[in-house]
Amino acid sequence: TERPLRSRQAIFTLTTRANNVTNAGQRMTWSITSGANRCQLRYPSNGSVQLRAVRTGSCNVRATAAAIAGQWNRMTLNRTYRVR
């Protein structure tokens, strides 16, 4: 599912500090898998994760959290954003 960012230079909060962990307490790691020249990840001092739209086009963002042996599989969250 694409989530549109309305304009270039827009900043969108992907997650807050409190929500950047799984139910099992594993911290999420964020990365841009494609379109890195269109979007940038930012990590402000408040602990949140933000996505900044740089130029028009699409970018894919992935969040991963490590597995816990014998209890939980690795968590992967993929999102696509379109900058207009």
Side-chain angles (χ1 to χ4, degrees), residues 27-40:
R27 188 160 182 79
M28 303 292 288
T29 303
W30 294 83
S31 63
I32 296 178
T33 57
S34 70
N37 60 343
R38 296 178 189 100
C39 300
Q40 297 173 345

Side-chain angles (χ1 to χ4, degrees), residues 7-43:
S7 65
R8 289 176 283 142
Q9 307 304 324
I11 296 177
F12 177 74
T13 301
L14 297 173
T15 186
T16 62
R17 180 181 187 153
N19 292 329
N20 200 26
V21 294
T22 65
N23 291 342
Q26 299 296 90
R27 188 160 182 79
M28 303 292 288
T29 303
W30 294 83
S31 63
I32 296 178
T33 57
S34 70
N37 60 343
R38 296 178 189 100
C39 300
Q40 297 173 345
L41 288 174
R42 296 210 166 174
Y43 303 94

Side-chain angles (χ1 to χ4, degrees), residues 15-84:
T15 186
T16 62
R17 180 181 187 153
N19 292 329
N20 200 26
V21 294
T22 65
N23 291 342
Q26 299 296 90
R27 188 160 182 79
M28 303 292 288
T29 303
W30 294 83
S31 63
I32 296 178
T33 57
S34 70
N37 60 343
R38 296 178 189 100
C39 300
Q40 297 173 345
L41 288 174
R42 296 210 166 174
Y43 303 94
S45 61
N46 65 3
S48 65
V49 179
Q50 296 177 339
L51 183 70
R52 179 175 177 252
V54 177
R55 58 177 63 122
T56 58
S58 293
C59 61
N60 295 329
V61 179
R62 176 179 289 162
T64 57
I68 297 178
Q71 293 182 0
W72 297 95
N73 290 332
R74 179 179 73 170
M75 180 182 167
T76 303
L77 175 68
N78 294 305
R79 293 182 180 169
T80 302
Y81 294 92
R82 189 175 75 198
V83 181
R84 295 181 179 186

